[in-house]
Amino acid sequence: MDAVIESLPQYWDGFLRTLYLSVISGLIALVVGTLLAAMRVSPVAALRGFSMFYVEVARNTPLTIIFFFSAIVLPRLGVKFDQFEVAAIIALSSYTAAFVAEAVRSGVNSVPVGQAEAARSVGMTFTQVLGFIVLPQALRTVVPPLINIVIALVKNSSVAGAFFVLELFGYGRQLSNDYGDKVLWVLLGVAFFYLLITVPLGLLAHFVERKVAIAR
């Protein structure tokens, strides 16, 4: 326990870095994922094909490989990063966006087709139908699964620790070397700070799910 107490500044710094990576990557993934979902239901075949290709490739590629590409391959191709956090955000957001896209697409498919047909019958374009009629309803129904995706994103951010980003897992690995005989306590400290993020998110997902069920 002394190892955890003595290392609280490192834990706190790792907690803030994990929170930062998760929030920024989550926001980017939400925007990109929603765009991919819109492309997936687009009447343009090329957009549908690109979205389907991206989602299938990203979802079926190990996150470690995506991190490797972002942190090592991209700089060799001329894309330089001042900080490894940028590469981590690119990897996390591009990977998570595929799961967001599938969640949003399932929400779009849950909206009755008649509403879109009625909107088109009064002269609304596809973009207007999607932006004003379909997406507002779809996003409301997929909030709980989106929160679960964010929880997975928080846990996936631990991969950044293997690529020289000192988030929670990165500090945990460093502290394990410093306190070799107290590794268990060090890891329990890391797990505790992860739970400070994931448990409230899980409770929020449960609360929103109940609210949506009542609204229906």
Side-chain angles (χ1 to χ4, degrees):
M1 195 65 183
D2 293 340
V4 175
I5 295 174
E6 292 173 3
S7 306
L8 280 178
Q10 290 94 321
Y11 279 121
W12 182 247
D13 186 58
F15 173 79
L16 294 179
R17 285 175 184 267
T18 296
L19 200 59
Y20 170 77
L21 289 176
S22 302
V23 170
I24 300 300
S25 301
L27 291 174
I28 295 174
L30 179 61
V31 173
V32 175
T34 302
L35 290 175
L36 288 170
M39 293 166 64
R40 191 72 179 269
V41 298
S42 168
V44 181
L47 295 179
R48 292 198 307 272
F50 172 79
S51 176
M52 183 171 61
F53 174 79
Y54 180 93
V55 169
E56 291 302 319
V57 170
R59 289 176 66 199
N60 292 287
T61 301
L63 179 57
T64 304
I65 294 179
I66 295 178
F67 260 93
F68 183 86
F69 181 84
S70 178
I72 298 176
V73 176
L74 284 182
R76 292 189 178 185
L77 295 177
V79 182
K80 303 295 184 180
F81 305 116
D82 294 332
Q83 298 178 329
F84 278 105
E85 282 87 350
V86 178
I89 289 172
I90 292 174
L92 287 169
S93 58
S94 59
Y95 179 76
T96 307
F99 295 90
V100 172
E102 284 298 281
V104 174
R105 185 173 71 91
S106 68
V108 170
N109 291 336
S110 70
V111 178
V113 178
Q115 295 191 24
E117 292 176 345
R120 285 196 295 267
S121 69
V122 297
M124 295 181 71
T125 64
F126 169 78
T127 303
Q128 291 173 327
V129 172
L130 194 65
F132 296 117
I133 306 296
V134 178
L135 275 182
Q137 299 181 71
L139 290 175
R140 180 182 177 183
T141 62
V142 300
V143 168
L146 285 178
I147 295 176
N148 290 329
I149 291 172
V150 172
I151 292 174
L153 168 62
V154 172
K155 293 184 287 187
N156 287 336
S157 68
S158 62
V159 180
F163 289 86
F164 313 108
V165 178
L166 286 178
E167 43 68 71
L168 271 175
F169 178 76
Y171 271 118
R173 187 179 62 172
Q174 188 179 85
L175 292 172
S176 296
N177 293 329
D178 295 338
Y179 299 94
D181 57 337
K182 302 175 182 177
V183 174
L184 177 61
W185 287 104
V186 169
L187 295 180
L188 286 175
V190 171
F192 171 77
F193 279 94
Y194 272 117
L195 290 174
L196 286 181
I197 303 174
T198 57
V199 170
L201 286 174
L203 295 174
L204 177 62
H206 180 66
F207 173 77
V208 172
E209 190 171 9
R210 289 176 56 193
K211 286 293 184 181
V212 171
I214 293 173
R216 287 179 177 177

